[in-house]
Amino acid sequence: MKISYNWLKEFIATDWNIDKTSQLLTDLGLEVEGVIPFESVKGGLLGVIVGQVLTCEKHPNADKLQLTTVHVGAEEPLQIVCGAPNVAKGQKVAVATIGTTLYTPEGEAWVIKKGKIRGEESHGMLCAEDELGLGSDHDGIMVLDDDLLVGTACSTVFNVVKDEVIEIGLTPNRADAMSHFGVARDLRAGLLHKGIHKELISPSVMGFSVDNRLASVQTEVVDLNLAPRYAGLSISDIEVKDSPNWIKNRLKAIGLNPVNNVVDATNYVLHELGQPLHAFDLDSIKGRKIIVKTLPEGTKFTTLDGVERSLSKEDLMICDQEKPLCMAGIFGGLNSGVHKDTKNIFLEAAYFNPVSIRKSAKRHGLSTDASFRFERGIDINLVEYALKRAALLIKEIAGGKISSDISDVYPKKETDYQVFLSFNRINSLIGEEIPTDTIKSILSSLEIKVNNVTEAGLGLTIPFYRVDVQREVDVIEEILRVYGYNNIHFSKKINASIAKNEKNADHIIQNNIGDFLAAQGFNEILTNSLSTEKYLEFTKDPSLKHPVRILNPLSGDLGVLKTSMLFTALEAASYNINRKATDLRLFEFGKTYHQNESERYESKHLTLLITGKNHKESWYRTAKKSDFFFLKSIVDNCLQKLGIQNWKTSSTDSNLFSEGIIYLNRKSELVRFGVVQSSLAKKMDIKQEVLFADFNWDEILKSIPTSSVKFTEIPKFPEVYRDFALLLDTNISFEQVKQTAKNTERKYLKQVDLFDVYLGNNLPEGKKSYGVSFVLQDPKATLEEKQIDKIMNKLQGAFEKDLNASLR
């Protein structure tokens, strides 16, 4: 938000320099992000002076040029070549001397230099109106008043206004400071706390009176929830023309382009007081009646920018008896605004429901100075005052007569907020005891009324316009920002309490697994919880089809809370791959959000994404692409690090994976992982294979064993290795072989591994060959050959009986 310092000082007469004022505003919570100098004429006419033409003769070498000598107050006159048809001897003119910087209408700078024009030296330039930025006329040079003194700086002749514009990074909660008056109100509070008493000066409306009642307009508000207050009046016999320079300069300083005197007056009051206003061409209002209402879904309306918009049934509109005129609080209509031939206007000031305005503005992709203020909540009690102020300003600069009483629809008066402020609460939050008199003084400077004082605290009345101060903690924040955060003393002693955390606390487990994954070359990512609804079309999983929708989304791509961690992870992968980072190992802790008929709920997840090469190519090894088994090893190691061991395996029917498996603890899913469907990856602009794992973190936390780790002595006796070449049906998995072996020999069997798989010639149809190794060990003695043979025979029998296997 831009604040003109000259304008600000009309509300509070401070002699502080801009740096000192900026520091105080920042301390008060209105952070000054920068200060920009402003000049009503760019360059400030520096180097441009009044000169007098002493001689004017035809250029010897050019028919359309004149050779002049110009007295500029120096000992010697300047010879200047001029091409203007109106230059003549004796004129007082504006002379740009050598070294002066002038600016084109587009803002491009150019410097006046000594030069030769058709063989004759030229030591400056006689300037036209547009060359100085004083207008658009280029028919000839500017001829100045004869009574001006030669050598006078033109910046004083043309009253060049210089200002300093304060850029304030206004936080969304500070609706009360969205104007010069609001900033001045805060500045006054800060000065009062420093012992500097300054009066807050507000524009007077004492001169307001109704001239006649010949142009009354009836107003009707259909839904008072959407427009709690609506006021207006008529002004007749105005003259629409350019605004006076003082208004133009004020608006230009804060980045606004002047339009005409009526529109400029409404913009002026908006930035002066924070109350948006709108002027309608009164003759375009059919039936002399304004109706504030919503219209049927799909109603067409063309706004000032010439765009035809399809209205929602929730958009609040300003209408006459036949048609819509304006999108309430947002944007005017193409055919109802003020134009050069307008003679009579209806001027509105209102308070519209902030939520309604915000939704409509977002819905139509519009953001205006008016909607910016209405969305955050303006002062409903300022409506009539601002309307009178604008009406008087329009009469001053556009003429006319106030031709109706103020029509003010305000049936339900808004009340101020009541808050009890506890002294103990102040001290506990601030950490320092502030004297009661100081607290009362600060509250008074902020226009917060102290109703009563007790030993426990203060009973307060908060003005309605302070929409951000409705709780006790809000009041304490107000006290602290005026008192000064820098004035709070810090103890030289640091006090801290030691928190007792459970061994299996969620954040500790996350840190342990995060460290493990980082050691394996993974990078942690953090993606947005908001996602686009179009991703739901990529899956057939019914659990992902019922998202939690955002009522007021920032954009169409952020309309729902994500139901799967996969799509945002693929977004991150696509972003990196498109920037030539093709070998990725990513992990993320996050949540998904769901709803059913009865409730909304969220689930915690840990996800892994792997794509590209497993390692870089080097002189001693070739590059290898990451595959399913690499992902599986990472998943297995994560579970084992958590102490989870006895899981069951199941296949996944998710259409998100081309192949994948699920690990189960009893009947609850621990993790689902596999190869992402190539068609899905391509939709995310990824052309390489992507591996993905999704841990159900809530179930993981439940499955972590709580018992202490038990340590056993390393066995002193040797291990024994044996293996079988098993002929099995193709539908038998290694997991079944492993489980059968463990169930058969629990005492001495320590490990079962698969070291060879063969499918091909010389095998019966429907069969495959597994090379399976077994590790046997007795911790108390060396196994004898008879024991070993007995165990292996028992295993062979179990395989033949349970798995229909045979030895090759």
Side-chain angles (χ1 to χ4, degrees):
M1 184 181 71
K2 293 182 178 180
I3 295 294
S4 159
Y5 197 35
N6 288 347
W7 198 348
L8 185 67
K9 287 190 285 189
E10 288 191 1
F11 295 101
I12 183 165
T14 176
D15 56 359
W16 279 17
N17 63 40
I18 190 68
D19 293 333
K20 202 171 179 181
T21 301
S22 297
Q23 183 59 55
L24 179 55
L25 289 175
T26 298
D27 291 343
L28 289 167
L30 302 178
E31 183 182 359
V32 175
E33 297 178 337
V35 176
I36 303 170
F38 169 79
E39 295 168 322
S40 57
V41 178
K42 191 166 185 180
L45 299 182
L46 184 65
V48 182
I49 57 177
V50 176
Q52 184 173 21
V53 180
L54 300 179
T55 64
C56 180
E57 300 175 353
K58 186 179 178 182
H59 193 291
N61 301 318
D63 293 336
K64 294 184 179 181
L65 298 179
Q66 306 294 325
L67 189 63
T68 68
T69 55
V70 183
H71 177 38
V72 293
E75 292 183 2
E76 296 292 333
L78 301 178
Q79 177 173 293
I80 298 175
V81 177
C82 180
N86 65 329
V87 63
K89 178 181 177 180
Q91 291 175 337
K92 295 287 180 68
V93 294
V95 181
T97 55
I98 291 173
T100 299
T101 301
L102 299 180
Y103 295 86
T104 66
E106 294 77 25
E108 184 179 346
W110 55 290
V111 180
I112 303 299
K113 299 178 180 178
K114 176 183 175 181
K116 279 190 176 184
I117 301 176
R118 295 290 184 93
E120 295 293 336
E121 288 188 354
S122 184
H123 297 265
M125 176 178 172
L126 306 187
C127 299
E129 183 180 282
D130 66 330
E131 292 166 335
L132 296 178
L134 297 171
S136 58
D137 185 13
H138 193 68
D139 292 337
I141 60 170
M142 293 186 72
V143 180
L144 308 179
D145 293 340
D146 285 338
D147 56 355
L148 292 175
L149 295 177
V150 170
T152 302
C154 284
S155 59
T156 60
V157 174
F158 295 104
N159 192 25
V160 175
V161 176
K162 294 188 176 183
D163 198 356
E164 292 166 303
V165 180
I166 305 169
E167 289 267 11
I168 293 178
L170 193 67
T171 52
N173 63 310
R174 291 303 307 277
D176 62 297
M178 293 188 296
S179 65
H180 285 74
F181 184 75
V183 173
R185 186 166 48 201
D186 250 27
L187 183 59
R188 174 177 171 270
L191 290 172
L192 280 173
H193 182 63
K194 292 182 177 294
I196 303 171
H197 294 264
K198 293 289 182 180
E199 182 183 355
L200 187 61
I201 306 166
S202 57
S204 173
V205 294
M206 294 295 290
F208 179 85
S209 63
V210 178
D211 298 306
N212 60 61
R213 294 174 175 81
L214 301 177
S216 296
V217 174
Q218 183 183 356
T219 56
E220 176 188 350
V221 178
V222 176
D223 190 341
L224 290 169
N225 289 323
L226 298 181
R229 187 173 190 181
Y230 187 88
L233 57 79
S234 300
I235 305 176
S236 59
D237 300 326
I238 63 169
E239 181 185 0
V240 177
K241 57 184 179 181
D242 283 349
S243 297
N245 285 333
W246 67 270
I247 283 187
K248 285 184 177 180
N249 290 335
R250 286 283 166 80
L251 297 179
K252 287 178 180 178
I254 58 174
L256 297 182
N257 293 320
V259 179
N260 58 53
N261 49 2
V262 176
V263 174
D264 293 349
T266 60
N267 284 334
Y268 187 92
V269 174
L270 181 149
H271 289 276
E272 180 183 56
L273 301 176
Q275 170 66 55
L277 302 109
H278 189 72
F280 298 91
D281 187 327
L282 181 58
D283 298 322
S284 71
I285 300 175
K286 301 300 182 182
R288 289 287 177 92
K289 183 175 183 180
I290 289 289
I291 307 171
V292 184
K293 62 180 181 178
T294 57
L295 296 173
E297 185 78 29
T299 300
K300 302 299 182 183
F301 177 68
T302 303
T303 46
L304 270 174
D305 55 0
V307 176
E308 184 181 73
R309 303 179 188 276
S310 182
L311 299 178
S312 163
K313 62 182 180 181
E314 296 180 354
D315 293 332
L316 186 64
M317 303 295 294
I318 311 299
C319 309
D320 62 16
Q321 289 187 329
E322 296 181 3
K323 62 186 181 300
L325 303 174
C326 172
M327 296 180 70
I330 302 175
F331 212 15
L334 183 62
N335 300 316
S336 63
V338 174
H339 50 83
K340 64 179 181 178
D341 298 322
T342 296
K343 297 299 180 185
N344 309 298
I345 64 170
F346 176 76
L347 184 65
E348 77 162 22
Y351 178 92
F352 298 118
N353 183 291
V355 175
S356 171
I357 298 301
R358 184 166 59 249
K359 287 183 177 180
S360 292
K362 292 292 184 183
R363 189 179 296 119
H364 295 284
L366 293 171
S367 179
T368 61
D369 284 338
S371 67
F372 178 82
R373 285 157 177 80
F374 279 125
E375 288 173 15
R376 286 156 178 78
I378 61 171
D379 185 1
I380 197 169
N381 297 311
L382 196 66
V383 169
E384 183 180 0
Y385 170 72
L387 186 61
K388 290 179 178 180
R389 166 64 173 152
L392 290 173
L393 185 57
I394 290 172
K395 280 189 66 177
E396 178 186 341
I397 64 177
K401 299 176 180 179
I402 297 175
S403 299
S404 74
D405 291 315
I406 292 177
S407 172
D408 191 358
V409 181
Y410 187 27
K412 183 182 177 182
K413 301 296 186 287
E414 296 289 351
T415 58
D416 294 334
Y417 310 112
Q418 303 298 318
V419 173
F420 180 78
L421 180 62
S422 164
F423 291 134
N424 289 335
R425 184 68 166 153
I426 296 173
N427 298 336
S428 66
L429 282 183
I430 294 179
E432 183 172 303
E433 186 172 344
I434 299 176
T436 302
D437 289 343
T438 301
I439 292 173
K440 290 166 64 177
S441 174
I442 291 173
L443 294 174
S444 177
S445 71
L446 293 171
E447 301 182 356
I448 297 174
K449 182 181 178 183
V450 179
N451 299 321
N452 54 75
V453 182
T454 67
E455 290 185 1
L458 305 173
L460 306 175
T461 297
I462 314 295
F464 178 79
Y465 68 82
R466 290 309 308 268
V467 294
D468 61 321
V469 184
Q470 300 182 21
R471 304 169 300 168
E472 184 182 34
V473 290
D474 298 330
V475 179
I476 296 172
E477 182 183 4
E478 290 296 293
I479 294 169
L480 185 53
R481 72 180 181 86
V482 177
Y483 183 77
Y485 290 95
N486 295 333
N487 294 326
I488 302 299
H489 299 95
F490 293 91
S491 171
K492 295 181 179 179
K493 180 177 65 174
I494 297 177
N495 297 321
S497 57
I498 300 174
K500 181 181 179 181
N501 291 314
E502 297 294 331
K503 181 179 68 174
N504 290 339
D506 188 1
H507 69 280
I508 294 176
I509 301 299
Q510 286 192 30
N511 285 338
N512 289 339
I513 293 299
D515 290 343
F516 167 74
L517 291 170
Q520 302 301 313
F522 282 77
N523 291 298
E524 185 171 10
I525 60 173
L526 181 64
T527 61
N528 202 335
S529 295
L530 300 174
S531 185
T532 174
E533 198 165 356
K534 71 179 182 181
Y535 290 154
L536 304 181
E537 301 170 3
F538 298 166
T539 177
K540 297 177 183 178
D541 190 338
S543 66
L544 306 182
K545 288 287 191 178
H546 302 287
V548 178
R549 289 180 169 82
I550 305 300
L551 293 178
N552 186 28
L554 294 172
S555 70
D557 289 338
L558 301 172
V560 297
L561 290 170
K562 61 185 178 185
T563 57
S564 171
M565 301 279 286
L566 172 60
F567 301 113
T568 50
L570 290 175
E571 285 179 352
S574 176
Y575 181 89
N576 283 276
I577 291 170
N578 289 336
R579 286 155 182 79
K580 307 303 180 183
T582 56
D583 304 327
L584 300 172
R585 298 183 192 179
L586 308 175
F587 77 95
E588 178 181 15
F589 289 98
K591 293 180 180 180
T592 58
Y593 307 86
H594 312 267
Q595 66 177 1
N596 51 35
E597 295 179 356
S598 60
E599 64 176 348
R600 294 172 180 163
Y601 60 96
E602 57 187 49
S603 303
K604 294 181 181 179
H605 297 261
L606 162 64
T607 56
L608 312 179
L609 185 145
I610 301 173
T611 186
K613 295 172 184 169
N614 198 352
H615 51 75
K616 292 182 179 180
E617 188 172 3
S618 66
W619 63 271
Y620 64 91
R621 64 179 181 182
T622 58
K624 181 182 178 183
K625 187 177 74 170
S626 298
D627 57 16
F628 173 82
F629 295 102
F630 175 70
L631 174 63
K632 181 178 181 298
S633 69
I634 297 294
V635 171
D636 290 353
N637 288 335
C638 284
L639 292 177
Q640 290 171 7
K641 186 170 181 63
L642 293 169
I644 303 172
Q645 298 195 9
N646 297 319
W647 60 79
K648 294 182 180 179
T649 302
S650 173
S651 60
T652 175
D653 57 357
S654 172
N655 71 314
L656 299 176
F657 296 107
S658 58
E659 56 179 307
I661 57 176
I662 300 173
Y663 285 167
L664 302 169
N665 181 23
R666 299 180 181 89
K667 293 185 179 181
S668 299
E669 181 177 316
L670 290 175
V671 58
R672 178 188 302 250
F673 61 96
V675 181
V676 176
Q677 287 278 7
S678 59
S679 58
L680 173 58
K682 286 179 181 177
K683 289 177 182 178
M684 305 298 291
D685 197 26
I686 300 174
K687 299 179 177 61
Q688 59 194 58
E689 186 177 74
V690 178
L691 307 163
F692 187 75
D694 186 357
F695 290 81
N696 181 347
W697 195 251
D698 293 313
E699 191 59 38
I700 291 288
L701 294 176
K702 294 177 186 177
S703 303
I704 296 174
T706 57
S707 58
S708 300
V709 176
K710 295 180 179 179
F711 296 90
T712 58
E713 185 181 357
I714 297 175
K716 298 178 180 179
F717 300 97
E719 295 177 340
V720 176
Y721 296 87
R722 294 289 187 273
D723 60 70
F724 280 155
L726 296 174
L727 192 63
L728 299 157
D729 295 335
T730 53
N731 64 334
I732 300 297
S733 67
F734 171 67
E735 185 66 26
Q736 291 175 278
V737 174
K738 184 177 180 180
Q739 199 60 46
T740 300
K742 287 189 174 182
N743 291 338
T744 303
E745 178 53 54
R746 299 179 183 274
K747 186 175 181 180
Y748 298 122
L749 183 61
K750 301 301 179 184
Q751 188 174 329
V752 182
D753 290 308
L754 178 66
F755 65 86
D756 183 55
V757 178
Y758 178 69
L759 290 165
N761 298 330
N762 304 321
L763 290 180
E765 186 176 353
K767 295 289 185 178
K768 63 182 176 182
S769 175
Y770 272 180
V772 183
S773 64
F774 306 90
V775 178
L776 307 175
Q777 187 179 40
D778 184 350
K780 297 180 180 179
T782 301
L783 286 173
E784 296 181 358
E785 199 64 35
K786 289 182 179 181
Q787 290 177 287
I788 297 170
D789 291 342
K790 183 178 180 181
I791 293 170
M792 297 306 294
N793 289 334
K794 187 165 62 171
L795 290 173
Q796 179 182 348
F799 293 146
E800 292 173 349
K801 178 182 178 182
D802 298 342
L803 304 178
N804 193 29
S806 60
L807 297 182
R808 291 186 62 191

